[in-house]
Amino acid sequence: MTARGKIGIVGSGFVGSAAAYAMVMSNVGREIVLVDLNRKRAEAEANDIYHAVPFANPHMISAGDYADLEGCHVVVVTAGVNQKPGETRLQLLERNAAVFRAIVPNIVKYAPGARIVVATNPVDITTHLTAHLAAEHGVPVSHVLGSGTTLDTARFRALLGRKLGVDAHHIHAYVLGEHGDSEVLAWSQVTIGGMALPEFCERRKIRFTAEDRAEIDHGVRRAAYLIIEGKGATYYGIGSALARIVDTVINDERAILTVCSPMEEVLGVRDVTLALPHLVGGDGVIDTLPQPLDADEGAALQRSATVLREAITSLGL
């Protein structure tokens, strides 16, 4: 039996602990269990976050083993080796695949009813691998989802909001495909208050140039590399994104999020996991909402899907 208020986080490094902290600050769930090979680290992070509870929302935070995941409604996976400066997410593939082959069977053993949310990079591939491993134990594919381009989409909206002088909450814009170098910013689908981007700019007398577009594209696409170069890792943004995804699942919010999920076919590329706008709720991924992209964006998304399919094939999947 699963409890909607219980959350497991496997991996207590920067991302796992930031996610737990964001959940406490955002009042997501009621109980969080941190699991890590380094039990001392997990206990330290659990204690540190628990000491913030009196300033936030009621939570129980503890360190545990895989057996302590029993009853979790959601288990978040952030474990894995870190991305090195200059290293692409896909170069992490082989190093993290071995980690997941040890982690996933343990999650499914002790929390068979949990929805599994994957954040470890390269997230599209690790999500595909997780779904494959979990399916061997009878877990539905829809119960496995990755953070995908949830953070990239937030970055896109934030940078657009800054340029347009609009709160990012009122901007609809999606980043699709790989969470990585081949991701696609769907410019043709950008709306602000229901108005298309060119129409909004015309009304507000905003000059939006090709240079502005290129600057935002670079800011979204290269964000992680710049942050890693400056401080070694990214964790606040993805931690907050994970809190949002988990909140959506726990409360069955039926939100539209650009998580990644295994797909039978995307633009002619079969059996691939990438990010698209998905309807997400208590059962995980409920539906996929294809976007009416322009020709260039469609071709770019197909290339992104092909890049990911080749990486998945390299794992023998």
Side-chain angles (χ1 to χ4, degrees):
M1 183 176 179
T2 59
R4 286 194 178 273
K6 185 175 181 180
I7 302 158
I9 300 179
V10 179
S12 327
F14 288 128
V15 174
S17 56
Y21 181 72
M23 291 174 199
V24 170
M25 293 296 110
S26 302
N27 199 24
V28 178
R30 279 295 177 267
E31 180 182 359
I32 299 173
V33 179
L34 300 179
V35 177
D36 198 286
L37 282 175
N38 185 344
R39 179 62 180 257
K40 189 174 182 179
R41 172 68 182 267
E43 290 175 349
E45 294 290 1
N47 285 328
D48 196 11
I49 295 168
Y50 187 60
H51 297 159
V53 166
F55 305 106
N57 303 285
H59 271 82
M60 287 300 299
I61 317 293
S62 63
D65 299 315
Y66 284 108
D68 296 300
L69 297 176
E70 183 178 359
C72 283
H73 186 71
V74 180
V75 175
V76 179
V77 184
T78 66
V81 294
N82 293 327
Q83 187 175 4
K84 299 176 182 178
E87 182 181 36
T88 68
R89 293 180 178 94
L90 292 181
Q91 287 173 328
L92 286 171
L93 178 55
E94 288 297 337
R95 296 197 294 144
N96 274 327
V99 175
F100 271 69
R101 290 191 171 98
I103 288 174
V104 176
N106 277 306
I107 293 173
V108 175
K109 177 180 179 180
Y110 293 106
R115 312 308 180 247
I116 303 175
V117 178
V118 182
T120 305
N121 280 319
V123 69
D124 306 284
I125 315 301
T126 55
T127 301
H128 193 95
L129 177 60
T130 298
H132 175 80
L133 295 170
E136 294 177 349
H137 300 273
V139 176
V141 170
S142 62
H143 286 189
V144 179
L145 55 155
S147 54
T149 58
T150 306
L151 177 55
D152 310 79
T153 290
R155 288 168 174 158
F156 190 16
R157 295 177 181 183
L159 294 179
L160 277 169
R162 178 188 295 170
K163 171 62 182 176
L164 301 174
V166 176
D167 180 356
H169 288 89
H170 302 288
I171 295 174
H172 275 82
Y174 297 117
V175 178
L176 314 175
E178 177 198 1
H179 173 55
D181 298 336
S182 70
E183 65 188 19
V184 181
L185 279 65
W187 287 97
S188 69
Q189 300 305 300
V190 175
T191 61
I192 304 95
M195 300 176 70
L197 178 60
E199 181 185 0
F200 180 85
C201 289
E202 181 179 356
R203 179 177 180 82
R204 295 289 301 147
K205 304 295 189 292
I206 296 172
R207 185 169 178 268
F208 195 91
T209 66
E211 289 74 21
D212 293 323
R213 177 168 164 163
E215 183 179 354
I216 289 174
D217 185 286
H218 184 271
V220 173
R221 196 178 302 276
R222 303 298 298 177
Y225 294 112
L226 294 174
I227 293 170
I228 290 169
E229 181 181 344
K231 68 174 196 173
T234 67
Y235 38 92
Y236 294 127
I238 187 59
S240 298
L242 289 168
R244 177 72 180 102
I245 295 167
V246 172
D247 193 32
T248 298
V249 174
I250 283 182
N251 293 306
D252 192 24
E253 288 186 10
R254 306 299 179 100
I256 309 297
L257 302 174
T258 52
V259 297
C260 61
S261 178
M263 306 285 294
E264 290 185 6
E265 184 267 336
V266 176
L267 297 174
V269 181
R270 299 194 60 79
D271 188 24
V272 66
T273 295
L274 49 65
L276 290 171
H278 294 287
L279 179 63
V280 179
D283 284 332
V285 174
I286 300 168
D287 199 2
T288 305
L289 308 178
Q291 299 297 291
L293 304 175
D294 66 26
D296 289 341
E297 292 165 349
L301 183 59
Q302 185 180 52
R303 286 195 296 272
S304 187
T306 301
V307 166
L308 291 168
R309 181 59 252 177
E310 289 173 352
I312 291 167
T313 299
S314 73
L315 289 180
L317 300 176

